[in-house]
Amino acid sequence: MAESTQGRYVEPGQEFNRDTNYIEDRITRDGRDGWPVEAGRYRLVAARACPWANRSIIVRRLLGLEDAISLGLPGPTHDKDSWTFDLDEGGVDPVLGIERLQQAFFARFPDYPRGITVPAIVDVPSGKVVTNNYPQITLDFSTEWTEFHRDGAPDLYPEHLRAEIDDVAEKIFHDVNNGVYKAGFAGSQRAYERAYDTLFTRLDWLEERLAGQRYLVGDTITEADVRLFTTLARFDAVYHGHFKCNRNKLSEMPVLWAYARDLFQTPGFGDTIDFDQIKKHYYIVHSDINPTGIVPKGPSDTGWLTPHGREALGGRPFGDGTPPQPPRAGEEVPPLRD
């Protein structure tokens, strides 16, 4: 089976393989790929339901890039062809004037052969997609868009820690971020159990690593924490049941659960999470796994607001910087539900 918008492909009896071929153009200060950094020119299209897109929403918030890069929010579900703007009036993105993200891809590549993925950055004047290379998008927000960072923006990718951040992030990608998908979309019992074992071995490693330090690398929030958080935020709501990652819940791993709550309660993280959209996406779109389309009512969300005690480990969430301001009008998420 294949699902183009998710960039996933698996045959019965085989392991899940993610298509990691993305549009590699970058938006840089020197404009070497033809896309110079320019406030107001680009629109980030990022569905709240998607963990890969959620990263870019968080980094945009933390760095204060809201005035420089606008945000388009597709709905939580999509068809086999494209993410759609069904949350907007008339089902049309108010800035790009399109109903489907696919239109921006086809505006640049009429025969674009790959999945229509989020996050994607679109050049507003031309209506053409610039890039959907999600790992590079957040790094470039940190390193190429510094002119437009808010006062007090944190350094999420400090130069002296980049090698360690990259190493930790790579492990997390293969075993956790993508690991839950390897389990959920496994084409055989053997492939599933291998992915399951790898996932929980890495989660145990993270549990041990974070027992004595507040953040993954150094004493401040970095890109590595952003990348882990979006998977942890979806774990109990989706991955534990829907993807059969059920050795235990996140809420049954005391260190990781406290770490995840610490980040959730940090401005810029929890205020980007919409659990209703997350559940609708996975349980409705993945009809091969959940053919009834029934979306679970639970679990309760309010546990995310309980005390975590991680302050005792020290650390400075924003380093020498400050928290971001509350989300701007139109970018808020609904309150948590019991």
Side-chain angles (χ1 to χ4, degrees), residues 1 3 6 8 10 16 180-187 192 238-245 281-294 296:
M1 62 181 174
E3 182 175 304
Q6 288 299 96
R8 65 179 174 94
V10 61
F16 164 77
V180 293
Y181 287 85
K182 291 177 183 178
F185 295 133
Y192 160 71
V238 175
Y239 303 143
H240 178 270
H242 185 59
F243 280 176
K244 306 179 186 69
C245 300
H281 170 69
Y282 286 91
Y283 284 98
I284 293 174
V285 171
H286 300 160
S287 57
D288 48 338
I289 298 176
N290 186 43
T292 66
I294 295 173

PDB file of all heavy atoms in Angstrom, residues 1 3 6 8 10 16 180-187 192 238-245 281-294 296:
ATOM      1  N   MET A   1       0.843  -1.188   0.000  1.00  0.00           N
ATOM      2  CA  MET A   1       0.000   0.000   0.000  1.00  0.00           C
ATOM      3  C   MET A   1       0.877   1.236   0.000  1.00  0.00           C
ATOM      4  O   MET A   1       1.997   1.218   0.470  1.00  0.00           O
ATOM      5  CB  MET A   1      -0.901  -0.004   1.245  1.00  0.00           C
ATOM      6  CG  MET A   1      -0.139   0.039   2.558  1.00  0.00           C
ATOM      7  SD  MET A   1      -1.241  -0.006   3.968  1.00  0.00           S
ATOM      8  CE  MET A   1      -0.042  -0.117   5.272  1.00  0.00           C
ATOM      9  N   GLU A   3       0.663   5.730   0.376  1.00  0.00           N
ATOM     10  CA  GLU A   3      -0.140   6.932   0.627  1.00  0.00           C
ATOM     11  C   GLU A   3       0.746   8.124   0.345  1.00  0.00           C
ATOM     12  O   GLU A   3       1.650   8.426   1.119  1.00  0.00           O
ATOM     13  CB  GLU A   3      -0.637   6.950   2.077  1.00  0.00           C
ATOM     14  CG  GLU A   3      -1.512   8.154   2.394  1.00  0.00           C
ATOM     15  CD  GLU A   3      -2.081   8.055   3.795  1.00  0.00           C
ATOM     16  OE1 GLU A   3      -2.727   7.050   4.093  1.00  0.00           O
ATOM     17  OE2 GLU A   3      -1.870   8.973   4.575  1.00  0.00           O
ATOM     18  N   GLN A   6       1.563  11.109   2.791  1.00  0.00           N
ATOM     19  CA  GLN A   6       2.313  10.800   3.991  1.00  0.00           C
ATOM     20  C   GLN A   6       3.759  10.408   3.688  1.00  0.00           C
ATOM     21  O   GLN A   6       4.539  10.198   4.597  1.00  0.00           O
ATOM     22  CB  GLN A   6       1.642   9.645   4.748  1.00  0.00           C
ATOM     23  CG  GLN A   6       0.348  10.053   5.416  1.00  0.00           C
ATOM     24  CD  GLN A   6       0.568  11.139   6.422  1.00  0.00           C
ATOM     25  OE1 GLN A   6       0.397  12.313   6.104  1.00  0.00           O
ATOM     26  NE2 GLN A   6       0.970  10.813   7.608  1.00  0.00           N
ATOM     27  N   ARG A   8       4.816   7.623   2.674  1.00  0.00           N
ATOM     28  CA  ARG A   8       5.084   6.303   3.224  1.00  0.00           C
ATOM     29  C   ARG A   8       4.822   5.235   2.177  1.00  0.00           C
ATOM     30  O   ARG A   8       4.012   5.408   1.283  1.00  0.00           O
ATOM     31  CB  ARG A   8       4.246   6.046   4.480  1.00  0.00           C
ATOM     32  CG  ARG A   8       2.730   5.972   4.270  1.00  0.00           C
ATOM     33  CD  ARG A   8       2.067   5.700   5.620  1.00  0.00           C
ATOM     34  NE  ARG A   8       0.619   5.747   5.559  1.00  0.00           N
ATOM     35  CZ  ARG A   8      -0.157   4.692   5.376  1.00  0.00           C
ATOM     36  NH1 ARG A   8       0.376   3.502   5.174  1.00  0.00           N
ATOM     37  NH2 ARG A   8      -1.472   4.820   5.371  1.00  0.00           N
ATOM     38  N   VAL A  10       4.811   0.755   2.050  1.00  0.00           N
ATOM     39  CA  VAL A  10       5.117  -0.545   2.618  1.00  0.00           C
ATOM     40  C   VAL A  10       4.324  -1.597   1.874  1.00  0.00           C
ATOM     41  O   VAL A  10       3.157  -1.400   1.544  1.00  0.00           O
ATOM     42  CB  VAL A  10       4.810  -0.595   4.132  1.00  0.00           C
ATOM     43  CG1 VAL A  10       3.354  -0.354   4.417  1.00  0.00           C
ATOM     44  CG2 VAL A  10       5.275  -1.900   4.746  1.00  0.00           C
ATOM     45  N   PHE A  16       8.366  -0.840   6.810  1.00  0.00           N
ATOM     46  CA  PHE A  16       7.974   0.492   6.380  1.00  0.00           C
ATOM     47  C   PHE A  16       9.204   1.277   5.940  1.00  0.00           C
ATOM     48  O   PHE A  16      10.234   1.277   6.608  1.00  0.00           O
ATOM     49  CB  PHE A  16       7.278   1.205   7.534  1.00  0.00           C
ATOM     50  CG  PHE A  16       7.151   2.694   7.362  1.00  0.00           C
ATOM     51  CD1 PHE A  16       6.192   3.236   6.528  1.00  0.00           C
ATOM     52  CD2 PHE A  16       7.990   3.559   8.050  1.00  0.00           C
ATOM     53  CE1 PHE A  16       6.072   4.606   6.378  1.00  0.00           C
ATOM     54  CE2 PHE A  16       7.880   4.929   7.909  1.00  0.00           C
ATOM     55  CZ  PHE A  16       6.916   5.450   7.065  1.00  0.00           C
ATOM     56  N   VAL A 180       7.936   4.907  15.437  1.00  0.00           N
ATOM     57  CA  VAL A 180       6.523   4.604  15.687  1.00  0.00           C
ATOM     58  C   VAL A 180       5.813   4.265  14.379  1.00  0.00           C
ATOM     59  O   VAL A 180       4.921   3.404  14.348  1.00  0.00           O
ATOM     60  CB  VAL A 180       5.816   5.773  16.412  1.00  0.00           C
ATOM     61  CG1 VAL A 180       6.354   5.943  17.826  1.00  0.00           C
ATOM     62  CG2 VAL A 180       5.932   7.083  15.629  1.00  0.00           C
ATOM     63  N   TYR A 181       6.210   4.909  13.290  1.00  0.00           N
ATOM     64  CA  TYR A 181       5.634   4.602  11.984  1.00  0.00           C
ATOM     65  C   TYR A 181       6.086   3.226  11.495  1.00  0.00           C
ATOM     66  O   TYR A 181       5.314   2.493  10.869  1.00  0.00           O
ATOM     67  CB  TYR A 181       6.015   5.672  10.963  1.00  0.00           C
ATOM     68  CG  TYR A 181       5.298   6.976  11.144  1.00  0.00           C
ATOM     69  CD1 TYR A 181       5.773   7.943  12.028  1.00  0.00           C
ATOM     70  CD2 TYR A 181       4.134   7.264  10.436  1.00  0.00           C
ATOM     71  CE1 TYR A 181       5.114   9.138  12.204  1.00  0.00           C
ATOM     72  CE2 TYR A 181       3.466   8.466  10.596  1.00  0.00           C
ATOM     73  CZ  TYR A 181       3.959   9.401  11.486  1.00  0.00           C
ATOM     74  OH  TYR A 181       3.297  10.583  11.664  1.00  0.00           O
ATOM     75  N   LYS A 182       7.339   2.878  11.768  1.00  0.00           N
ATOM     76  CA  LYS A 182       7.823   1.555  11.379  1.00  0.00           C
ATOM     77  C   LYS A 182       7.009   0.460  12.054  1.00  0.00           C
ATOM     78  O   LYS A 182       6.737  -0.588  11.456  1.00  0.00           O
ATOM     79  CB  LYS A 182       9.302   1.402  11.735  1.00  0.00           C
ATOM     80  CG  LYS A 182      10.254   2.253  10.916  1.00  0.00           C
ATOM     81  CD  LYS A 182      11.684   2.074  11.402  1.00  0.00           C
ATOM     82  CE  LYS A 182      12.662   2.961  10.668  1.00  0.00           C
ATOM     83  NZ  LYS A 182      14.044   2.817  11.188  1.00  0.00           N
ATOM     84  N   ALA A 183       6.615   0.708  13.294  1.00  0.00           N
ATOM     85  CA  ALA A 183       5.766  -0.257  13.992  1.00  0.00           C
ATOM     86  C   ALA A 183       4.346  -0.221  13.443  1.00  0.00           C
ATOM     87  O   ALA A 183       3.759  -1.257  13.109  1.00  0.00           O
ATOM     88  CB  ALA A 183       5.766   0.028  15.491  1.00  0.00           C
ATOM     89  N   GLY A 184       3.789   0.969  13.306  1.00  0.00           N
ATOM     90  CA  GLY A 184       2.400   1.104  12.897  1.00  0.00           C
ATOM     91  C   GLY A 184       2.114   0.631  11.496  1.00  0.00           C
ATOM     92  O   GLY A 184       1.028   0.109  11.209  1.00  0.00           O
ATOM     93  N   PHE A 185       3.054   0.786  10.578  1.00  0.00           N
ATOM     94  CA  PHE A 185       2.844   0.422   9.188  1.00  0.00           C
ATOM     95  C   PHE A 185       3.632  -0.825   8.780  1.00  0.00           C
ATOM     96  O   PHE A 185       3.817  -1.087   7.593  1.00  0.00           O
ATOM     97  CB  PHE A 185       3.226   1.587   8.269  1.00  0.00           C
ATOM     98  CG  PHE A 185       2.355   2.798   8.431  1.00  0.00           C
ATOM     99  CD1 PHE A 185       2.917   4.069   8.544  1.00  0.00           C
ATOM    100  CD2 PHE A 185       0.980   2.679   8.476  1.00  0.00           C
ATOM    101  CE1 PHE A 185       2.109   5.188   8.690  1.00  0.00           C
ATOM    102  CE2 PHE A 185       0.170   3.798   8.625  1.00  0.00           C
ATOM    103  CZ  PHE A 185       0.732   5.059   8.731  1.00  0.00           C
ATOM    104  N   ALA A 186       4.097  -1.582   9.764  1.00  0.00           N
ATOM    105  CA  ALA A 186       4.866  -2.794   9.448  1.00  0.00           C
ATOM    106  C   ALA A 186       4.028  -3.748   8.612  1.00  0.00           C
ATOM    107  O   ALA A 186       2.830  -3.921   8.845  1.00  0.00           O
ATOM    108  CB  ALA A 186       5.320  -3.472  10.730  1.00  0.00           C
ATOM    109  N   GLY A 187       4.691  -4.387   7.658  1.00  0.00           N
ATOM    110  CA  GLY A 187       3.988  -5.312   6.780  1.00  0.00           C
ATOM    111  C   GLY A 187       4.073  -6.753   7.209  1.00  0.00           C
ATOM    112  O   GLY A 187       3.568  -7.646   6.520  1.00  0.00           O
ATOM    113  N   TYR A 192       7.240  -5.623  12.525  1.00  0.00           N
ATOM    114  CA  TYR A 192       6.618  -4.896  13.626  1.00  0.00           C
ATOM    115  C   TYR A 192       7.388  -5.090  14.920  1.00  0.00           C
ATOM    116  O   TYR A 192       7.704  -4.128  15.631  1.00  0.00           O
ATOM    117  CB  TYR A 192       5.164  -5.348  13.803  1.00  0.00           C
ATOM    118  CG  TYR A 192       4.588  -5.028  15.153  1.00  0.00           C
ATOM    119  CD1 TYR A 192       4.282  -3.713  15.523  1.00  0.00           C
ATOM    120  CD2 TYR A 192       4.367  -6.044  16.086  1.00  0.00           C
ATOM    121  CE1 TYR A 192       3.771  -3.418  16.782  1.00  0.00           C
ATOM    122  CE2 TYR A 192       3.851  -5.755  17.336  1.00  0.00           C
ATOM    123  CZ  TYR A 192       3.553  -4.454  17.685  1.00  0.00           C
ATOM    124  OH  TYR A 192       3.051  -4.154  18.926  1.00  0.00           O
ATOM    125  N   VAL A 238      -2.188   8.565  20.264  1.00  0.00           N
ATOM    126  CA  VAL A 238      -2.219   7.882  18.962  1.00  0.00           C
ATOM    127  C   VAL A 238      -1.333   6.645  18.915  1.00  0.00           C
ATOM    128  O   VAL A 238      -1.795   5.540  18.642  1.00  0.00           O
ATOM    129  CB  VAL A 238      -1.809   8.852  17.836  1.00  0.00           C
ATOM    130  CG1 VAL A 238      -1.736   8.105  16.503  1.00  0.00           C
ATOM    131  CG2 VAL A 238      -2.775  10.017  17.732  1.00  0.00           C
ATOM    132  N   TYR A 239      -0.043   6.818  19.163  1.00  0.00           N
ATOM    133  CA  TYR A 239       0.897   5.757  18.840  1.00  0.00           C
ATOM    134  C   TYR A 239       0.723   4.524  19.728  1.00  0.00           C
ATOM    135  O   TYR A 239       0.936   3.397  19.276  1.00  0.00           O
ATOM    136  CB  TYR A 239       2.336   6.271  18.926  1.00  0.00           C
ATOM    137  CG  TYR A 239       2.618   7.451  18.035  1.00  0.00           C
ATOM    138  CD1 TYR A 239       3.454   8.481  18.449  1.00  0.00           C
ATOM    139  CD2 TYR A 239       2.040   7.554  16.763  1.00  0.00           C
ATOM    140  CE1 TYR A 239       3.711   9.572  17.631  1.00  0.00           C
ATOM    141  CE2 TYR A 239       2.292   8.644  15.945  1.00  0.00           C
ATOM    142  CZ  TYR A 239       3.123   9.654  16.388  1.00  0.00           C
ATOM    143  OH  TYR A 239       3.381  10.741  15.584  1.00  0.00           O
ATOM    144  N   HIS A 240       0.364   4.718  20.984  1.00  0.00           N
ATOM    145  CA  HIS A 240       0.210   3.588  21.898  1.00  0.00           C
ATOM    146  C   HIS A 240      -0.827   2.587  21.386  1.00  0.00           C
ATOM    147  O   HIS A 240      -0.584   1.370  21.376  1.00  0.00           O
ATOM    148  CB  HIS A 240      -0.182   4.091  23.291  1.00  0.00           C
ATOM    149  CG  HIS A 240      -0.411   3.002  24.289  1.00  0.00           C
ATOM    150  ND1 HIS A 240      -1.655   2.426  24.487  1.00  0.00           N
ATOM    151  CD2 HIS A 240       0.435   2.364  25.128  1.00  0.00           C
ATOM    152  CE1 HIS A 240      -1.553   1.493  25.415  1.00  0.00           C
ATOM    153  NE2 HIS A 240      -0.301   1.430  25.823  1.00  0.00           N
ATOM    154  N   GLY A 241      -1.973   3.071  20.936  1.00  0.00           N
ATOM    155  CA  GLY A 241      -3.021   2.184  20.440  1.00  0.00           C
ATOM    156  C   GLY A 241      -3.012   2.020  18.939  1.00  0.00           C
ATOM    157  O   GLY A 241      -2.930   0.898  18.418  1.00  0.00           O
ATOM    158  N   HIS A 242      -3.076   3.123  18.221  1.00  0.00           N
ATOM    159  CA  HIS A 242      -3.222   3.087  16.758  1.00  0.00           C
ATOM    160  C   HIS A 242      -2.035   2.403  16.087  1.00  0.00           C
ATOM    161  O   HIS A 242      -2.199   1.655  15.120  1.00  0.00           O
ATOM    162  CB  HIS A 242      -3.371   4.520  16.260  1.00  0.00           C
ATOM    163  CG  HIS A 242      -3.652   4.668  14.805  1.00  0.00           C
ATOM    164  ND1 HIS A 242      -4.751   4.123  14.192  1.00  0.00           N
ATOM    165  CD2 HIS A 242      -2.971   5.337  13.836  1.00  0.00           C
ATOM    166  CE1 HIS A 242      -4.750   4.442  12.903  1.00  0.00           C
ATOM    167  NE2 HIS A 242      -3.667   5.171  12.662  1.00  0.00           N
ATOM    168  N   PHE A 243      -0.827   2.670  16.589  1.00  0.00           N
ATOM    169  CA  PHE A 243       0.386   2.096  16.007  1.00  0.00           C
ATOM    170  C   PHE A 243       0.909   0.896  16.803  1.00  0.00           C
ATOM    171  O   PHE A 243       2.011   0.421  16.543  1.00  0.00           O
ATOM    172  CB  PHE A 243       1.480   3.159  15.891  1.00  0.00           C
ATOM    173  CG  PHE A 243       1.349   4.070  14.702  1.00  0.00           C
ATOM    174  CD1 PHE A 243       2.238   5.136  14.539  1.00  0.00           C
ATOM    175  CD2 PHE A 243       0.366   3.892  13.744  1.00  0.00           C
ATOM    176  CE1 PHE A 243       2.142   5.980  13.434  1.00  0.00           C
ATOM    177  CE2 PHE A 243       0.265   4.739  12.644  1.00  0.00           C
ATOM    178  CZ  PHE A 243       1.152   5.787  12.489  1.00  0.00           C
ATOM    179  N   LYS A 244       0.135   0.436  17.784  1.00  0.00           N
ATOM    180  CA  LYS A 244       0.490  -0.769  18.553  1.00  0.00           C
ATOM    181  C   LYS A 244       1.820  -0.640  19.298  1.00  0.00           C
ATOM    182  O   LYS A 244       2.529  -1.630  19.517  1.00  0.00           O
ATOM    183  CB  LYS A 244       0.521  -2.001  17.645  1.00  0.00           C
ATOM    184  CG  LYS A 244      -0.758  -2.222  16.835  1.00  0.00           C
ATOM    185  CD  LYS A 244      -0.637  -3.455  15.946  1.00  0.00           C
ATOM    186  CE  LYS A 244      -1.832  -3.614  15.033  1.00  0.00           C
ATOM    187  NZ  LYS A 244      -1.898  -2.552  13.989  1.00  0.00           N
ATOM    188  N   CYS A 245       2.151   0.589  19.699  1.00  0.00           N
ATOM    189  CA  CYS A 245       3.371   0.831  20.476  1.00  0.00           C
ATOM    190  C   CYS A 245       2.991   0.773  21.960  1.00  0.00           C
ATOM    191  O   CYS A 245       3.025   1.782  22.671  1.00  0.00           O
ATOM    192  CB  CYS A 245       3.985   2.178  20.114  1.00  0.00           C
ATOM    193  SG  CYS A 245       4.451   2.327  18.379  1.00  0.00           S
ATOM    194  N   HIS A 281      -6.634  13.108  12.487  1.00  0.00           N
ATOM    195  CA  HIS A 281      -5.736  12.802  11.367  1.00  0.00           C
ATOM    196  C   HIS A 281      -5.417  11.313  11.298  1.00  0.00           C
ATOM    197  O   HIS A 281      -5.658  10.655  10.283  1.00  0.00           O
ATOM    198  CB  HIS A 281      -4.447  13.603  11.498  1.00  0.00           C
ATOM    199  CG  HIS A 281      -3.389  13.172  10.521  1.00  0.00           C
ATOM    200  ND1 HIS A 281      -3.509  13.404   9.170  1.00  0.00           N
ATOM    201  CD2 HIS A 281      -2.230  12.490  10.688  1.00  0.00           C
ATOM    202  CE1 HIS A 281      -2.459  12.892   8.544  1.00  0.00           C
ATOM    203  NE2 HIS A 281      -1.665  12.336   9.448  1.00  0.00           N
ATOM    204  N   TYR A 282      -4.876  10.780  12.371  1.00  0.00           N
ATOM    205  CA  TYR A 282      -4.415   9.392  12.328  1.00  0.00           C
ATOM    206  C   TYR A 282      -5.565   8.405  12.185  1.00  0.00           C
ATOM    207  O   TYR A 282      -5.498   7.466  11.380  1.00  0.00           O
ATOM    208  CB  TYR A 282      -3.605   9.073  13.584  1.00  0.00           C
ATOM    209  CG  TYR A 282      -2.227   9.690  13.592  1.00  0.00           C
ATOM    210  CD1 TYR A 282      -2.010  10.952  14.146  1.00  0.00           C
ATOM    211  CD2 TYR A 282      -1.138   9.024  13.043  1.00  0.00           C
ATOM    212  CE1 TYR A 282      -0.742  11.520  14.164  1.00  0.00           C
ATOM    213  CE2 TYR A 282       0.134   9.577  13.057  1.00  0.00           C
ATOM    214  CZ  TYR A 282       0.319  10.831  13.606  1.00  0.00           C
ATOM    215  OH  TYR A 282       1.574  11.392  13.612  1.00  0.00           O
ATOM    216  N   TYR A 283      -6.630   8.599  12.955  1.00  0.00           N
ATOM    217  CA  TYR A 283      -7.689   7.589  12.986  1.00  0.00           C
ATOM    218  C   TYR A 283      -8.626   7.665  11.784  1.00  0.00           C
ATOM    219  O   TYR A 283      -9.303   6.689  11.463  1.00  0.00           O
ATOM    220  CB  TYR A 283      -8.472   7.700  14.293  1.00  0.00           C
ATOM    221  CG  TYR A 283      -7.723   7.125  15.474  1.00  0.00           C
ATOM    222  CD1 TYR A 283      -6.999   7.950  16.334  1.00  0.00           C
ATOM    223  CD2 TYR A 283      -7.717   5.756  15.711  1.00  0.00           C
ATOM    224  CE1 TYR A 283      -6.300   7.425  17.413  1.00  0.00           C
ATOM    225  CE2 TYR A 283      -7.019   5.215  16.787  1.00  0.00           C
ATOM    226  CZ  TYR A 283      -6.317   6.051  17.634  1.00  0.00           C
ATOM    227  OH  TYR A 283      -5.626   5.521  18.692  1.00  0.00           O
ATOM    228  N   ILE A 284      -8.665   8.808  11.110  1.00  0.00           N
ATOM    229  CA  ILE A 284      -9.510   8.924   9.919  1.00  0.00           C
ATOM    230  C   ILE A 284      -8.714   8.679   8.641  1.00  0.00           C
ATOM    231  O   ILE A 284      -9.139   7.922   7.765  1.00  0.00           O
ATOM    232  CB  ILE A 284     -10.207  10.297   9.866  1.00  0.00           C
ATOM    233  CG1 ILE A 284     -11.219  10.412  11.025  1.00  0.00           C
ATOM    234  CG2 ILE A 284     -10.908  10.513   8.531  1.00  0.00           C
ATOM    235  CD1 ILE A 284     -11.862  11.786  11.144  1.00  0.00           C
ATOM    236  N   VAL A 285      -7.550   9.275   8.521  1.00  0.00           N
ATOM    237  CA  VAL A 285      -6.773   9.163   7.289  1.00  0.00           C
ATOM    238  C   VAL A 285      -6.220   7.746   7.098  1.00  0.00           C
ATOM    239  O   VAL A 285      -6.221   7.218   5.984  1.00  0.00           O
ATOM    240  CB  VAL A 285      -5.630  10.197   7.271  1.00  0.00           C
ATOM    241  CG1 VAL A 285      -4.678   9.933   6.104  1.00  0.00           C
ATOM    242  CG2 VAL A 285      -6.205  11.611   7.167  1.00  0.00           C
ATOM    243  N   HIS A 286      -5.788   7.130   8.175  1.00  0.00           N
ATOM    244  CA  HIS A 286      -5.193   5.787   8.056  1.00  0.00           C
ATOM    245  C   HIS A 286      -6.291   4.730   8.055  1.00  0.00           C
ATOM    246  O   HIS A 286      -6.390   3.897   8.965  1.00  0.00           O
ATOM    247  CB  HIS A 286      -4.220   5.539   9.203  1.00  0.00           C
ATOM    248  CG  HIS A 286      -3.083   6.497   9.260  1.00  0.00           C
ATOM    249  ND1 HIS A 286      -2.328   6.708  10.392  1.00  0.00           N
ATOM    250  CD2 HIS A 286      -2.558   7.323   8.311  1.00  0.00           C
ATOM    251  CE1 HIS A 286      -1.391   7.601  10.141  1.00  0.00           C
ATOM    252  NE2 HIS A 286      -1.510   7.988   8.882  1.00  0.00           N
ATOM    253  N   SER A 287      -7.081   4.731   7.012  1.00  0.00           N
ATOM    254  CA  SER A 287      -8.224   3.819   6.945  1.00  0.00           C
ATOM    255  C   SER A 287      -7.791   2.359   6.808  1.00  0.00           C
ATOM    256  O   SER A 287      -8.561   1.447   7.098  1.00  0.00           O
ATOM    257  CB  SER A 287      -9.132   4.203   5.769  1.00  0.00           C
ATOM    258  OG  SER A 287      -8.415   4.200   4.555  1.00  0.00           O
ATOM    259  N   ASP A 288      -6.558   2.130   6.362  1.00  0.00           N
ATOM    260  CA  ASP A 288      -6.065   0.759   6.280  1.00  0.00           C
ATOM    261  C   ASP A 288      -5.841   0.174   7.678  1.00  0.00           C
ATOM    262  O   ASP A 288      -5.993  -1.025   7.889  1.00  0.00           O
ATOM    263  CB  ASP A 288      -4.774   0.696   5.462  1.00  0.00           C
ATOM    264  CG  ASP A 288      -3.745   1.733   5.858  1.00  0.00           C
ATOM    265  OD1 ASP A 288      -4.132   2.757   6.457  1.00  0.00           O
ATOM    266  OD2 ASP A 288      -2.546   1.532   5.577  1.00  0.00           O
ATOM    267  N   ILE A 289      -5.478   1.019   8.635  1.00  0.00           N
ATOM    268  CA  ILE A 289      -5.268   0.577  10.007  1.00  0.00           C
ATOM    269  C   ILE A 289      -6.566   0.660  10.814  1.00  0.00           C
ATOM    270  O   ILE A 289      -6.840  -0.180  11.657  1.00  0.00           O
ATOM    271  CB  ILE A 289      -4.173   1.424  10.689  1.00  0.00           C
ATOM    272  CG1 ILE A 289      -2.834   1.258   9.953  1.00  0.00           C
ATOM    273  CG2 ILE A 289      -4.010   1.034  12.151  1.00  0.00           C
ATOM    274  CD1 ILE A 289      -1.732   2.131  10.519  1.00  0.00           C
ATOM    275  N   ASN A 290      -7.369   1.683  10.564  1.00  0.00           N
ATOM    276  CA  ASN A 290      -8.607   1.919  11.312  1.00  0.00           C
ATOM    277  C   ASN A 290      -9.767   2.070  10.334  1.00  0.00           C
ATOM    278  O   ASN A 290     -10.245   3.174  10.084  1.00  0.00           O
ATOM    279  CB  ASN A 290      -8.457   3.180  12.179  1.00  0.00           C
ATOM    280  CG  ASN A 290      -9.639   3.412  13.094  1.00  0.00           C
ATOM    281  OD1 ASN A 290     -10.160   2.492  13.721  1.00  0.00           O
ATOM    282  ND2 ASN A 290     -10.076   4.662  13.184  1.00  0.00           N
ATOM    283  N   PRO A 291     -10.235   0.970   9.727  1.00  0.00           N
ATOM    284  CA  PRO A 291     -11.228   1.069   8.649  1.00  0.00           C
ATOM    285  C   PRO A 291     -12.573   1.649   9.078  1.00  0.00           C
ATOM    286  O   PRO A 291     -13.298   2.171   8.238  1.00  0.00           O
ATOM    287  CB  PRO A 291     -11.381  -0.386   8.178  1.00  0.00           C
ATOM    288  CG  PRO A 291     -10.870  -1.226   9.285  1.00  0.00           C
ATOM    289  CD  PRO A 291      -9.802  -0.423   9.956  1.00  0.00           C
ATOM    290  N   THR A 292     -12.911   1.608  10.364  1.00  0.00           N
ATOM    291  CA  THR A 292     -14.196   2.186  10.801  1.00  0.00           C
ATOM    292  C   THR A 292     -14.171   3.705  10.825  1.00  0.00           C
ATOM    293  O   THR A 292     -15.222   4.341  10.790  1.00  0.00           O
ATOM    294  CB  THR A 292     -14.565   1.689  12.206  1.00  0.00           C
ATOM    295  OG1 THR A 292     -13.608   2.201  13.153  1.00  0.00           O
ATOM    296  CG2 THR A 292     -14.613   0.174  12.261  1.00  0.00           C
ATOM    297  N   GLY A 293     -12.978   4.290  10.906  1.00  0.00           N
ATOM    298  CA  GLY A 293     -12.878   5.738  11.003  1.00  0.00           C
ATOM    299  C   GLY A 293     -13.310   6.295  12.339  1.00  0.00           C
ATOM    300  O   GLY A 293     -13.445   7.524  12.492  1.00  0.00           O
ATOM    301  N   ILE A 294     -13.518   5.447  13.323  1.00  0.00           N
ATOM    302  CA  ILE A 294     -13.919   5.915  14.655  1.00  0.00           C
ATOM    303  C   ILE A 294     -12.717   6.551  15.342  1.00  0.00           C
ATOM    304  O   ILE A 294     -11.627   5.973  15.388  1.00  0.00           O
ATOM    305  CB  ILE A 294     -14.477   4.755  15.490  1.00  0.00           C
ATOM    306  CG1 ILE A 294     -15.771   4.238  14.862  1.00  0.00           C
ATOM    307  CG2 ILE A 294     -14.702   5.182  16.935  1.00  0.00           C
ATOM    308  CD1 ILE A 294     -16.304   2.980  15.512  1.00  0.00           C
ATOM    309  N   PRO A 296     -11.059   7.836  18.802  1.00  0.00           N
ATOM    310  CA  PRO A 296     -11.233   7.602  20.233  1.00  0.00           C
ATOM    311  C   PRO A 296     -11.517   8.889  21.000  1.00  0.00           C
ATOM    312  O   PRO A 296     -11.002   9.955  20.654  1.00  0.00           O
ATOM    313  CB  PRO A 296      -9.906   6.984  20.661  1.00  0.00           C
ATOM    314  CG  PRO A 296      -8.931   7.379  19.617  1.00  0.00           C
ATOM    315  CD  PRO A 296      -9.706   7.502  18.344  1.00  0.00           C
TER     316      PRO A 296
END
